[in-house]
Amino acid sequence: MLLRKTLLGLFSVLFLLGCTTTDKNSPKKHMLWKISDSNSSVYLMGSVHFADRSFYPLDTVITNAFDASDELAVELDMSDTAVVKDIAVQTELLGKLEEGKTLAQILPEGLLSSFDSLCLSWYIPSEALYGYKPWAAAMTIGSIAVMRRGFDPRFGIDFFFLHRAHETQKKILALETVEEQVNALAGEGVPDSIGIYYLKSTIRDLRLMDSSITLMMESWKRGDDSLFRTAMYLGEEDGCAEDSLLQAVIDERVYISRNRKMAESITSFLSSDRKVFIVVGAAHMTGRGDNVLKLLRDKGLTVEQY
């Protein structure tokens, strides 16, 4: 998730990060939670989808929890070539503008200028993205921005456990379908204003990407879910009322509605006494409001961070 932020907000959080001390007598925490009912439990791991070698090896607390589980559940099984191909097909199908239309005709003049300038500075022909809808262009430049800073999806926490599942012959479960993920931003009834806002906020956030990504990755390594949450919402208070409404729509579609489904799946695993190790984006656990952990607690389940 690309972050909205301000210099003031970023400085205050970085100052907090630098001054935070860890009690040597307190056990180290991770982005790992044990979810339990009266007689069964599952593990829930918060992932960063892009990472680097510095994240490894993972702590034995995490790998032991995986080893003690019989199945792995992920958002999508990205180790399945059919799934990867389907994502490409669906994104192309839903992300392309209709024949004869281009971003140059859709984007406000200021946003188009910012987009062209960004592509020029990255040596990307902006015309190569002109045939895509704003949300698809935003996701493309967002991914490029993260990878330009040395983070790679091949080192993502999801991929690590998918590889381990294949090695240990654990069953892999998908919590979502490709259509559900792609439709979060491209589904029927999503107004054009959502995609334009998504692109605008993505480009705006790039100004401080180096610092914000460093903050988010460090908080993940520390298992500091509170700081991770703070990083997610840096600068949001600076948006106008219209931006807040558009952001609320994105939050509902991309996070909250999916959080509800994830929580239901976890509840089902517990009801069936299945030992499942679940890996989903950390934002689903740390986001404000109805995040997955809150929804599980609301169901009366025990939630413990490890």
Side-chain angles (χ1 to χ4, degrees), residues 17-234:
L17 178 60
C19 294
T20 299
T21 58
T22 302
D23 184 347
K24 293 182 179 179
N25 296 318
S26 299
K28 177 178 171 61
K29 295 293 186 181
H30 311 84
M31 286 291 187
L32 175 69
W33 289 265
K34 185 178 181 179
I35 315 298
S36 308
D37 61 12
S38 59
N39 61 0
S40 60
S41 61
V42 297
Y43 287 99
L44 178 59
M45 181 87 217
S47 171
V48 282
H49 301 308
F50 291 76
D52 61 21
R53 295 182 188 277
S54 69
F55 281 70
Y56 303 97
L58 296 178
D59 195 287
T60 54
V61 170
I62 298 173
T63 55
N64 287 344
F66 174 81
D67 291 341
S69 304
D70 297 329
E71 301 172 276
L72 171 68
V74 291
E75 294 176 32
L76 291 173
D77 182 0
M78 298 298 291
S79 65
D80 185 338
T81 54
V83 171
V84 175
K85 181 178 180 181
D86 195 15
I87 291 173
V89 170
Q90 291 293 325
T91 302
E92 184 75 8
L93 178 66
L94 296 173
K96 291 280 284 187
L97 288 167
E98 60 187 73
E99 189 70 29
K101 270 195 173 183
T102 73
L103 282 179
Q105 299 170 315
I106 294 174
L107 300 182
E109 184 176 346
L111 179 55
L112 180 63
S113 176
S114 297
F115 178 76
D116 285 340
S117 297
L118 174 66
C119 290
L120 181 63
S121 68
W122 286 358
Y123 304 102
I124 299 172
S126 57
E127 294 82 2
L129 295 175
Y130 268 23
Y132 288 89
K133 294 178 182 178
W135 68 264
M139 292 187 72
T140 300
I141 64 173
S143 296
I144 293 172
V146 176
M147 289 189 286
R148 280 170 56 88
R149 283 149 181 83
F151 298 103
D152 193 310
R154 292 174 298 178
F155 290 106
I157 304 302
D158 318 69
F159 269 103
F160 174 84
F161 285 109
L162 283 167
H163 291 316
R164 286 288 292 265
H166 284 291
E167 290 173 352
T168 57
Q169 298 185 323
K170 291 188 192 295
K171 182 179 180 181
I172 298 172
L173 312 169
L175 298 173
E176 300 176 299
T177 66
V178 172
E179 290 76 11
E180 287 171 334
Q181 282 219 354
V182 175
N183 283 337
L185 280 174
E188 184 178 349
V190 179
D192 291 340
S193 57
I194 293 294
I196 293 173
Y197 165 74
Y198 188 56
L199 178 59
K200 180 180 75 171
S201 62
T202 297
I203 292 175
R204 180 179 59 201
D205 291 349
L206 293 176
R207 293 173 299 165
L208 297 174
M209 176 67 81
D210 284 334
S211 298
S212 63
I213 287 294
T214 298
L215 175 64
M216 184 167 283
M217 297 305 187
E218 181 63 25
S219 62
W220 188 94
K221 292 176 182 178
R222 291 181 179 214
D224 191 335
D225 58 317
S226 178
L227 189 59
F228 196 98
R229 180 182 304 109
T230 300
M232 286 178 62
Y233 297 110
L234 282 175

